[in-house]
Amino acid sequence: MSHSANPLKIVVIGGTAAGPKAAAKARRMDEHALITLIQREPELSMASCGFPYYVGGTFDDRSLLICTPAGVVRNPTFFSKAKRIDALVETEAVAIDRNAKTVTYKHLPTGEINTIPYDRLVIATGATPIRPSVPGADLNGILTLHSMADADKLRSIRDAGQVKKAIIVGGGLIGFEVCEALHLANIETTVVEKTAQVLPFLDSDLALLVQNHVCEQGAHVITNNGVAEFIGESGHLTGVKLDDGSELPCELAVIAVGVRPNISLAVAAGLNIGTQGGIKVNSFMQTSDPDIYAVGDCIECTSLITGQAVRAPFGDLANLQGRVAGQNVIEPGSAEFPGITQTGICKIFDFTAGITGLSERQARALGFNEIETATIAGLDIPTFMNGKLLVSKLVAEKKTGRILGFQCVGSGDVSKRVAVVATAILGRLTVNDLANADLPYAPPYSLALDHVIVAAHVLENKLKGRMQGIVASEVKQKLDQGAPLFLIDTRNPDEFEELRLGIGEHLIPLGVLRDRLNELPSDKAAEIVVYCRISLRGYEAAALLQGYGWHNVKVLEGGLMAWPYPREK
Amino acid sequence: MSHSANPLKIVVIGGTAAGPKAAAKARRMDEHALITLIQREPELSMASCGFPYYVGGTFDDRSLLICTPAGVVRNPTFFSKAKRIDALVETEAVAIDRNAKTVTYKHLPTGEINTIPYDRLVIATGATPIRPSVPGADLNGILTLHSMADADKLRSIRDAGQVKKAIIVGGGLIGFEVCEALHLANIETTVVEKTAQVLPFLDSDLALLVQNHVCEQGAHVITNNGVAEFIGESGHLTGVKLDDGSELPCELAVIAVGVRPNISLAVAAGLNIGTQGGIKVNSFMQTSDPDIYAVGDCIECTSLITGQAVRAPFGDLANLQGRVAGQNVIEPGSAEFPGITQTGICKIFDFTAGITGLSERQARALGFNEIETATIAGLDIPTFMNGKLLVSKLVAEKKTGRILGFQCVGSGDVSKRVAVVATAILGRLTVNDLANADLPYAPPYSLALDHVIVAAHVLENKLKGRMQGIVASEVKQKLDQGAPLFLIDTRNPDEFEELRLGIGEHLIPLGVLRDRLNELPSDKAAEIVVYCRISLRGYEAAALLQGYGWHNVKVLEGGLMAWPYPREK
Ligand SMILES: Cc1cc2nc3c(=O)[nH]c(=O)nc-3n(C[C@H](O)[C@H](O)[C@H](O)COP(=O)(O)OP(=O)(O)OC[C@H]3O[C@@H](n4cnc5c(N)ncnc54)[C@H](O)[C@@H]3O)c2cc1C
Ligand SMILES: Cc1cc2nc3c(=O)[nH]c(=O)nc-3n(C[C@H](O)[C@H](O)[C@H](O)COP(=O)(O)OP(=O)(O)OC[C@H]3O[C@@H](n4cnc5c(N)ncnc54)[C@H](O)[C@@H]3O)c2cc1C
Ligand SMILES: CC(C)(COP(=O)(O)OP(=O)(O)OC[C@H]1O[C@@H](n2cnc3c(N)ncnc32)[C@H](O)[C@@H]1OP(=O)(O)O)[C@@H](O)C(=O)NCCC(=O)NCCS
Ligand SMILES: CC(C)(COP(=O)(O)OP(=O)(O)OC[C@H]1O[C@@H](n2cnc3c(N)ncnc32)[C@H](O)[C@@H]1OP(=O)(O)O)[C@@H](O)C(=O)NCCC(=O)NCCS
Ligand SMILES: [Ca+2]
Ligand SMILES: [Ca+2]
């Protein structure tokens, strides 16, 4: 190849994740293209996902958020030298002219306006945090965590050590990351969530386990209660009033109720917007204008599970999509992005919460009615290697056994299990496939049968009618309604002394159950619920009881470890 | 169900992993079957895979190796009480009569012989460590690590603190686990491996990286040299003589050169033995006698990749197969075990080494000639989260892109990456599928694009002809042969000062490469090799140079981090 007389002109709008990735990949595809990256903010290529860890003090060197692994800051000089990309910072693209094939941009510090031609354009304008429109929302002390400037502000609040109380508005991933960061900064922090549960991507029982963990760490969580008003004095936030009328004093509020795709440029240019409010693209990341591509938080994606359009504002996807667009702007049609499985994860104090695919609630809302689920608790690695707890829920189609989703929370290695099931969903594996998977086993890394395999075994048992399950919330509801459940805790007396539900259960250890069948209801149709610490012995007890004719025996799924309600001990 | 008048009689031979699993599952399938477990050793259900960690002192409570997570030792009383399984320990099955459908067994302490009838039989006799037949092999001080008694012996050697030097014969997984355990016990340990490389399941470059790590930790490794003779005085081991005539003093030798399936009972009963020396079974785990099943280390499995018979003596598979047989002995034909992908892992000091599927060497030996590979180095999580190194090799079919294998070594989280690719292989995913996978990303758990995704990107680049790679051993060989390579290190001068190969390379940082093209060979066909720390910048440099007409530019795969040979600095 020689210097082309007529190099391709590529313009990329947006310089955080998807944009730089597209530009960088385009460069590797064509050394001679003219590539311009337009970025509104002063920084480029920020690891936004690292902001909470900088704010919380996991590391103190701010430049780590914007430098390469070799320690070079990704500023315009870097982009120019290492990638021959012309990166314009503090510069806003203000209009796209599709006929003239130009982008008009404004240098924000000077107000200077210019126009640049493109052969192919990439829109990577990302998203903007949603701000609730309640009174007082413009007081000082109300922040979001989205930009580098936000991160700087929150970090300086941490370093100043003046703020004593903070409110996080919104109990999603970023809300809890910020909660942890502020808690680490010795700020008393309360997460306020308008809906009935935190972490909306999880089913409620699992979300409640995470919420309990947060509270055990000393932070506070309020659900079913939104922020109705921000209260202030002389322009400064002093507290919030909630929907139920109660007031909480605070000097800082961080809003984390989700993001809205930045589509105004695209709308003004007449590009198609999808049903979910993001720019519509095909699998080549092409918008309705074949010379304009869009990637990252500003678009909507296709779910590989449902085929439907979904928004998925995630950093990994922004990079993957940017890479696909970077190929196509040079060689149109050369790369495709197949779609997503909604796989995400978050560290929340000593817990991790992760999901891939659909929760039970999402699946049902989408019309998957013939599904089965299994909630299990178990260790990630053996007790003798200091195993830590995982609580998971696997969701699958009844008829085909196809895995639709997996949630996992706990102090153990959640990330590996979610990654494995995400890959299983990508491969359209069934419960039976996962139940027989050959995974890497050695004691430092898993149980002989890994947690995900056990989850598949339990779900298989349910699908084959070998186990009837009941989740904690159902048991709670039945108890609250006074249903005549016969509850059996199958652990040993010493375990029972240490920890127990105290919901009217009978203690009958598995090892003596066969000798004490006479203590059970004589009515073989009686509703019996069995459990133990994780409901492994509970399940064995249920199989046993079925052998003696009781046919309405249910295993409390995940046992004590998945019980998210108060216990006697 | 009511008490059956004619309960099924199930007999299981072998009580370590596969056997107890089959028996336990059979019980859950049928509360009324009569289940007998025959075990030669005094213990049952031992976590053999935990032996090295007990020997090395990761934990001190021996009973953890044989107890349930609730802390109950799995002895015959436990099996009787919790599982209603009649477990006969210190009892050897000595004959199977397929016509009478009986098993004859001998109580070893008393010599008493009995016979028990079966409707269905499970053989789970496991495997026995191979002992090389060299002079002196019967000296005191020559052990294996396979049984609980072996573990006890090695642990007591650790606790006594008398042994100063030990030899491990065999550089496989168990060899290195024992090496680490003895090293932790302050014993100077040398692994002696007869073939040219340790860890035969890895390709040689990666194996050498692990070997280097072991040596950096202060243990010794000798390859290309077998044990020719054990030397002793008054019946006690005092040293070994190697094939090359050299002698190494030692008071302890642990042999870990693999295992041989225990098939004598099966052979005597006339059951079919497979080509790999294990009992032949179908996907129901059924032997050539439909009422006899076999599971675990005594059988041979089917590779899901090649369809061929392979031996795979792994604890996870023993449990999975036991579970399948446990179903079929009660409900014949109700469960199938589809096959395996040869997925295994091992902790070796601060490294982990894992593999799933085929190495390049195995793939080629099996006739997969049209394959492509990518070796990459990278971090598991971001630098600001304290990321650790991973070096991997992905192997795929050229035509279809189907992933055939993945090896990963390093101090980072290898286990997650191997588990993900194992699942990808199970789902028959292609490189392109993995290259666009939606995995769980957050900074505590991965880079925005996880290591396995980057591996897929690099392999994709090679498959599409966008990157030419060359592995360390090839470069080394070319240099040794005096080939006129033009080598470019594309890092910064300060990085070069700290660490460098010193193999005649030119230091031209990526950021100035475009300005210094005149320093390159004028012959555009010259063989140029570029690299950096991990060869990311090396790859960018290669793409750049291709843009200026050099067409024989190769990236040193994995860069400095995957270079297993001595360096200048
Ligand atoms: C605190 C935090 C934590 C997160 N944690 C995770 C996580 O753990 N895992 C995960 O997967 N994702 C996480 N995310 C999400 C992830 O950061 C985003 O998905 C990703 O940054 C999206 O990249 P993007 O380039 O599409 O958009 P953005 O990051 O929003 O970047 C868009 C850029 O375009 C610029 N821009 C917009 N309009 C214009 C214009 N007209 N002209 C010029 N420039 C313009 C913006 O200023 C911005 O810099 C997190 C996000 C935040 C804020
Ligand atoms: C030190 C060590 C570390 C290991 N690490 C790992 C690891 O990290 N990951 C992994 O996947 N695998 C590992 N393994 C392998 C794993 O332990 C085996 O694959 C597993 O134990 C096989 O189970 P099994 O029941 O088929 O056979 P075995 O464990 O061999 O058990 C067979 C049992 O049958 C008994 N028996 C044999 N013949 C008779 C008879 N005629 N009558 C009565 N009883 C009989 C034997 O005494 C033995 O107790 C390790 C093994 C060892 C020794
Ligand atoms: C970094 C950034 C500018 C992209 O630039 P980039 O050059 O594409 O990315 P990298 O520096 O990671 O380089 C990746 C290239 O090197 C290749 N590579 C990585 N490791 C390699 C190795 N060991 N050997 C060979 N090639 C390697 C990759 O495959 C990729 O090339 P390809 O896309 O052509 O296949 C962009 O991702 C970014 O801005 N990231 C930071 C912000 C962000 O991601 N935020 C959201 C999450 S916090
Ligand atoms: C333990 C052993 C005796 C098997 O007994 P087991 O009763 O099948 O095994 P577990 O105690 O793990 O119980 C597993 C059962 O509980 C189920 N289970 C596990 N966790 C559960 C939970 N949280 N809720 C409901 N059910 C659960 C499993 O699905 C399984 O049932 P299934 O096979 O019918 O599906 C056998 O595996 C063994 O001997 N292991 C130790 C030795 C060994 O594995 N060595 C080699 C590797 S070191
Ligand atoms: Ca993701
Ligand atoms: Ca395995």
Side-chain angles (χ1 to χ4, degrees):
Chain A
M1 206 195 302
S2 63
H3 286 255
S4 163
N6 205 358
L8 268 178
K9 295 183 286 295
I10 308 296
V11 174
V12 177
I13 306 175
T16 293
K21 187 72 189 177
K25 181 62 179 168
R27 168 58 66 231
R28 288 188 290 273
M29 295 283 297
D30 182 353
E31 170 64 15
H32 305 293
L34 299 175
I35 305 177
T36 307
L37 182 60
I38 302 177
Q39 161 76 326
R40 188 164 50 199
E41 299 182 33
E43 287 89 6
L44 287 158
S45 276
M46 303 88 87
S48 324
C49 317
F51 291 164
Y53 302 93
Y54 174 59
V55 171
T58 301
F59 59 97
D60 301 317
D61 180 359
R62 174 188 190 272
S63 72
L64 289 174
L65 291 166
I66 38 173
C67 70
T68 71
V72 180
V73 171
R74 293 200 200 91
N75 54 21
T77 308
F78 164 79
F79 272 93
S80 162
K81 289 281 172 197
K83 302 199 188 269
R84 210 162 78 79
I85 291 170
D86 196 12
L88 313 175
V89 294
E90 299 185 86
T91 300
E92 183 171 345
V94 292
I96 300 167
D97 183 332
R98 288 167 54 195
N99 293 325
K101 295 185 84 169
T102 60
V103 172
T104 302
Y105 61 86
K106 180 174 171 181
H107 185 234
L108 298 173
T110 59
E112 200 183 303
I113 290 195
N114 271 296
T115 289
I116 184 173
Y118 68 80
D119 293 313
R120 301 210 178 95
L121 174 65
V122 179
I123 301 178
T125 45
T128 303
I130 296 170
R131 282 185 163 248
S133 51
V134 297
D138 52 355
L139 288 166
N140 275 324
I142 305 177
L143 306 179
T144 55
L145 179 54
H146 190 78
S147 67
M148 194 85 181
D150 294 336
D152 288 335
K153 232 179 277 175
L154 280 168
R155 173 73 196 210
S156 70
I157 286 174
R158 170 188 199 273
D159 293 341
Q162 296 298 314
V163 167
K164 300 289 172 238
K165 283 177 201 268
I167 296 288
I168 311 288
V169 187
L173 295 184
I174 294 181
F176 280 106
E177 285 184 345
V178 176
C179 169
E180 181 179 358
L182 297 182
H183 182 84
L184 287 173
N186 287 317
I187 297 173
E188 188 180 342
T189 305
T190 305
V191 175
V192 177
E193 167 60 45
K194 204 182 182 76
T195 70
Q197 77 164 68
V198 298
L199 301 174
F201 52 88
L202 297 179
D203 283 318
S204 56
D205 285 17
L206 271 74
L208 199 45
L209 290 172
V210 181
Q211 181 177 334
N212 293 345
H213 175 72
V214 171
C215 296
E216 278 160 22
Q217 302 294 313
H220 313 292
V221 181
I222 295 173
T223 53
N224 263 319
N225 213 348
V227 169
E229 188 181 339
F230 291 102
I231 313 166
E233 269 174 36
S234 39
H236 268 83
L237 183 75
T238 57
V240 296
K241 183 183 274 178
L242 302 186
D243 287 339
D244 71 352
S246 61
E247 289 189 15
L248 293 176
C250 63
E251 308 103 275
L252 171 67
V254 182
I255 295 174
V257 295
V259 294
R260 184 183 293 126
N262 293 330
I263 58 170
S264 55
L265 270 183
V267 168
L271 299 176
N272 284 359
I273 303 301
T275 52
Q276 305 304 303
I279 302 173
K280 207 176 154 79
V281 295
N282 62 17
S283 61
F284 302 105
M285 309 314 294
Q286 223 166 8
T287 66
S288 49
D289 180 330
D291 288 324
I292 306 185
Y293 295 77
V295 289
D297 282 8
C298 63
I299 67 159
E300 53 189 56
C301 307
T302 304
S303 161
L304 287 172
I305 299 169
T306 65
Q308 294 181 358
V310 280
R311 289 208 16 247
F314 287 109
D316 57 337
L317 301 177
N319 276 282
L320 290 177
Q321 294 160 2
R323 184 170 180 273
V324 166
Q327 293 173 71
N328 289 331
V329 290
I330 303 297
E331 282 181 21
S334 65
E336 282 186 83
F337 183 71
I340 62 146
T341 53
Q342 303 264 54
T343 307
I345 194 162
C346 182
K347 177 179 179 301
I348 303 178
F349 293 90
D350 300 336
F351 261 40
T352 304
I355 184 160
T356 179
L358 308 175
S359 67
E360 178 178 5
R361 193 184 45 242
Q362 286 176 313
R364 295 202 188 278
L366 286 163
F368 290 92
N369 292 313
E370 292 300 296
I371 57 175
E372 188 56 274
T373 72
T375 299
I376 71 156
L379 295 179
D380 57 353
I381 60 174
T383 313
F384 60 76
M385 299 302 284
N386 252 314
K388 300 219 181 75
L389 194 75
L390 299 171
V391 180
S392 297
K393 184 166 176 179
L394 188 61
V395 180
E397 265 181 346
K398 264 189 189 157
K399 225 174 89 183
T400 60
R402 181 182 161 207
I403 297 167
L404 296 177
F406 178 70
Q407 302 153 66
C408 184
V409 307
S411 52
D413 181 350
V414 165
S415 123
K416 176 179 169 183
R417 278 76 199 182
V418 174
V420 165
V421 184
T423 312
I425 291 177
L426 194 60
R428 300 182 84 85
L429 295 190
T430 64
V431 172
N432 190 258
D433 293 327
L434 188 59
N436 289 299
D438 181 358
L439 293 178
Y441 163 57
Y445 312 108
S446 82
L447 301 180
L449 295 184
D450 187 77
H451 185 79
V452 292
I453 293 184
V454 175
H457 287 177
V458 176
L459 187 44
E460 191 187 56
N461 294 338
K462 289 186 72 179
L463 287 169
K464 290 191 172 173
R466 291 175 184 161
M467 170 177 146
Q468 288 181 269
I470 184 165
V471 293
S473 51
E474 262 180 280
V475 170
K476 176 77 161 48
Q477 201 183 353
K478 291 200 177 213
L479 288 174
D480 289 348
Q481 291 167 350
L485 298 184
F486 191 89
L487 296 150
I488 311 178
D489 185 330
T490 59
R491 294 174 304 147
N492 300 326
D494 49 342
E495 295 176 83
F496 193 73
E497 268 321 297
E498 220 182 285
L499 186 83
R500 66 168 168 258
L501 297 187
I503 52 172
E505 68 269 32
H506 303 256
L507 174 69
I508 312 183
L510 176 63
V512 297
L513 181 56
R514 289 181 182 87
D515 305 328
R516 287 172 58 180
L517 294 176
N518 60 338
E519 297 175 28
L520 268 72
S522 53
D523 176 7
K524 296 286 168 106
E527 187 168 5
I528 300 177
V529 173
V530 284
Y531 65 90
C532 60
R533 188 175 169 82
I534 60 167
S535 279
L536 191 163
R537 288 168 283 172
Y539 157 62
E540 293 189 292
L544 185 172
L545 293 179
Q546 272 151 22
Y548 296 103
W550 283 277
H551 51 80
N552 194 12
V553 186
K554 292 173 180 163
V555 178
L556 171 58
E557 297 188 28
L560 279 160
M561 291 298 102
W563 181 262
Y565 308 109
R567 301 188 296 252
E568 183 183 336
K569 267 194 181 186
Chain B
M1 205 196 301
S2 63
H3 287 256
S4 163
N6 206 356
L8 267 177
K9 295 183 287 294
I10 309 295
V11 174
V12 177
I13 305 175
T16 292
K21 187 72 188 176
K25 182 61 179 169
R27 167 58 67 231
R28 288 188 290 273
M29 296 283 297
D30 182 353
E31 170 65 15
H32 306 293
L34 300 174
I35 305 177
T36 307
L37 182 61
I38 301 176
Q39 161 75 326
R40 187 163 51 198
E41 300 181 31
E43 286 88 6
L44 288 158
S45 276
M46 302 87 88
S48 325
C49 318
F51 291 164
Y53 302 93
Y54 174 59
V55 171
T58 301
F59 59 97
D60 301 317
D61 179 1
R62 174 187 190 273
S63 72
L64 289 174
L65 290 166
I66 38 173
C67 69
T68 72
V72 180
V73 171
R74 293 201 199 92
N75 54 22
T77 308
F78 164 80
F79 272 93
S80 162
K81 289 282 175 195
K83 304 201 186 267
R84 211 162 78 79
I85 291 170
D86 197 12
L88 312 176
V89 294
E90 298 186 87
T91 301
E92 182 171 346
V94 291
I96 300 167
D97 184 332
R98 288 167 53 196
N99 293 324
K101 295 183 85 171
T102 59
V103 171
T104 301
Y105 60 87
K106 179 174 170 180
H107 185 235
L108 297 173
T110 59
E112 201 183 300
I113 290 196
N114 271 294
T115 288
I116 183 172
Y118 68 81
D119 293 313
R120 301 210 178 92
L121 174 66
V122 179
I123 301 178
T125 46
T128 303
I130 297 169
R131 282 184 163 252
S133 50
V134 297
D138 52 355
L139 287 166
N140 276 324
I142 304 175
L143 306 179
T144 56
L145 178 54
H146 189 78
S147 67
M148 194 85 181
D150 294 336
D152 289 334
K153 232 180 278 175
L154 280 168
R155 172 76 195 207
S156 71
I157 286 173
R158 171 190 198 274
D159 293 340
Q162 297 299 313
V163 167
K164 301 288 170 239
K165 285 177 199 267
I167 297 289
I168 310 288
V169 186
L173 295 184
I174 295 181
F176 279 106
E177 285 183 345
V178 175
C179 168
E180 181 179 358
L182 297 182
H183 183 84
L184 288 172
N186 288 317
I187 297 172
E188 188 180 342
T189 305
T190 305
V191 174
V192 176
E193 167 60 46
K194 203 182 181 74
T195 70
Q197 78 165 67
V198 298
L199 300 173
F201 51 88
L202 297 179
D203 283 320
S204 57
D205 284 17
L206 271 74
L208 200 45
L209 290 172
V210 181
Q211 180 177 333
N212 292 345
H213 174 72
V214 171
C215 296
E216 278 160 23
Q217 302 294 314
H220 313 293
V221 181
I222 295 173
T223 53
N224 264 321
N225 214 348
V227 170
E229 186 180 342
F230 292 102
I231 313 165
E233 270 173 37
S234 40
H236 268 83
L237 182 74
T238 57
V240 296
K241 183 184 272 179
L242 302 186
D243 286 341
D244 70 354
S246 61
E247 287 189 16
L248 294 174
C250 63
E251 308 104 276
L252 172 67
V254 182
I255 295 173
V257 294
V259 294
R260 184 182 292 126
N262 292 329
I263 57 171
S264 56
L265 271 182
V267 168
L271 299 176
N272 284 359
I273 303 301
T275 52
Q276 306 303 305
I279 301 173
K280 206 176 156 80
V281 294
N282 63 16
S283 62
F284 302 104
M285 310 313 296
Q286 223 166 9
T287 66
S288 50
D289 180 330
D291 289 322
I292 305 184
Y293 294 77
V295 288
D297 282 7
C298 63
I299 67 159
E300 52 190 56
C301 307
T302 304
S303 162
L304 287 173
I305 299 169
T306 64
Q308 295 182 355
V310 281
R311 289 208 17 248
F314 287 109
D316 57 338
L317 301 177
N319 277 280
L320 291 176
Q321 294 160 2
R323 184 169 180 272
V324 166
Q327 293 173 71
N328 289 329
V329 291
I330 304 297
E331 282 181 21
S334 65
E336 282 185 84
F337 184 71
I340 63 146
T341 53
Q342 304 265 54
T343 307
I345 194 161
C346 181
K347 179 179 177 302
I348 302 177
F349 292 91
D350 300 336
F351 262 39
T352 303
I355 184 159
T356 180
L358 308 176
S359 67
E360 178 178 3
R361 193 184 45 241
Q362 284 175 315
R364 295 202 188 277
L366 286 162
F368 290 91
N369 292 314
E370 291 301 296
I371 58 175
E372 188 54 274
T373 71
T375 300
I376 71 156
L379 295 180
D380 56 354
I381 61 175
T383 313
F384 61 75
M385 300 302 284
N386 251 314
K388 300 216 181 77
L389 194 75
L390 298 171
V391 180
S392 296
K393 184 166 177 178
L394 187 62
V395 181
E397 264 181 348
K398 264 189 189 157
K399 223 173 91 181
T400 61
R402 181 182 162 208
I403 298 167
L404 296 177
F406 178 70
Q407 302 154 66
C408 185
V409 307
S411 52
D413 181 351
V414 165
S415 124
K416 176 180 170 183
R417 278 76 200 182
V418 174
V420 165
V421 184
T423 312
I425 292 177
L426 194 59
R428 301 182 83 87
L429 295 190
T430 64
V431 172
N432 190 257
D433 294 326
L434 189 59
N436 289 298
D438 181 359
L439 293 179
Y441 163 57
Y445 312 108
S446 81
L447 301 180
L449 295 185
D450 187 77
H451 185 79
V452 292
I453 293 183
V454 175
H457 288 177
V458 176
L459 188 43
E460 192 187 54
N461 294 338
K462 290 185 72 179
L463 287 169
K464 289 191 174 172
R466 292 177 183 160
M467 170 178 146
Q468 289 180 270
I470 184 165
V471 294
S473 51
E474 262 180 278
V475 171
K476 176 80 160 52
Q477 202 182 351
K478 291 200 176 211
L479 289 173
D480 290 348
Q481 292 167 352
L485 299 184
F486 190 88
L487 296 150
I488 310 178
D489 185 331
T490 60
R491 294 173 305 148
N492 300 325
D494 49 342
E495 294 176 84
F496 193 73
E497 268 321 297
E498 220 182 286
L499 186 83
R500 67 167 167 259
L501 296 188
I503 52 173
E505 67 270 33
H506 303 255
L507 175 69
I508 313 183
L510 175 63
V512 297
L513 181 55
R514 289 182 183 87
D515 307 329
R516 289 171 57 179
L517 294 175
N518 60 338
E519 296 175 30
L520 268 70
S522 53
D523 176 7
K524 296 285 166 110
E527 188 168 6
I528 300 176
V529 173
V530 284
Y531 64 89
C532 60
R533 188 175 170 81
I534 61 168
S535 278
L536 191 163
R537 288 168 282 171
Y539 157 61
E540 292 189 293
L544 186 170
L545 293 179
Q546 272 151 23
Y548 296 102
W550 282 276
H551 51 81
N552 195 10
V553 186
K554 292 173 181 164
V555 178
L556 171 58
E557 297 189 27
L560 278 160
M561 291 298 102
W563 181 262
Y565 307 109
R567 298 188 298 254
E568 183 183 335
K569 269 196 182 185

